[in-house]
Amino acid sequence: MHGGGPDGEQTVPVEPPVSVELFPTHYTVMWTGGSLARFVGAVANLDTVSRTASAVVDDRATAGRERRRVADLETAETVRYLRVEPDTPWTVSWERRTRPVVSVSGTPSPALCRRVHRQTTDCEGWSDGAFDTLARVTADR
């Protein structure tokens, strides 16, 4: 694990790198992701996310953020932000920045974080050491 500065951020050495921000009750795991379509596909493949789960969408084509069901998500170029809120202790988000950013926030399992990372990037795999490091740093949350 790299980092560990005063802001409580750590970095897991995978490609693309995974940043972990630690808070007293939860953490956020984030990385540079791929397209919105790839993100929506990854979310659709998660057993813990039902098609009726709620999602918050910020789309430039509409005024303000809207709530939609996961089953109704679209991958329009005008979407700036998408947060899926399943009935779990975590949420997963995609945000259009200079490069798209994917984040998982709350108390997700390290296995879930690794799975979403691999499905939203071109990452070919995580070493056992990288996975163990993420598990260790998030264990007390």
Side-chain angles (χ1 to χ4, degrees), residues 15-40:
E15 191 56 41
V18 171
S19 296
V20 182
E21 291 185 43
L22 303 171
F23 302 96
T25 60
H26 69 285
Y27 52 94
T28 298
V29 180
M30 67 190 114
W31 57 87
T32 300
S35 68
L36 177 59
R38 192 167 187 173
F39 174 81
V40 170

Side-chain angles (χ1 to χ4, degrees), residues 14 18 29 31 104 109-121 123 125-128 130-132 134:
V14 292
V18 171
V29 180
W31 57 87
V104 185
S109 72
L112 174 87
C113 295
R114 177 180 59 189
R115 181 176 178 186
V116 174
H117 180 267
R118 291 186 69 188
Q119 291 184 355
T120 60
T121 68
C123 181
W126 282 46
S127 70
D128 290 342
F131 182 79
D132 292 346
L134 179 60

Side-chain angles (χ1 to χ4, degrees), residues 73-127:
L73 293 178
E74 298 176 8
T75 58
E77 286 293 315
T78 53
V79 172
R80 293 184 287 200
Y81 177 79
L82 171 61
R83 181 179 66 243
V84 177
E85 300 174 333
D87 188 21
T88 62
W90 50 266
T91 61
V92 60
S93 305
W94 180 92
E95 184 174 10
R96 186 181 311 276
R97 297 183 188 175
T98 304
R99 294 184 181 154
V101 174
V102 174
S103 61
V104 185
S105 188
T107 55
S109 72
L112 174 87
C113 295
R114 177 180 59 189
R115 181 176 178 186
V116 174
H117 180 267
R118 291 186 69 188
Q119 291 184 355
T120 60
T121 68
D122 291 329
C123 181
E124 294 184 13
W126 282 46
S127 70

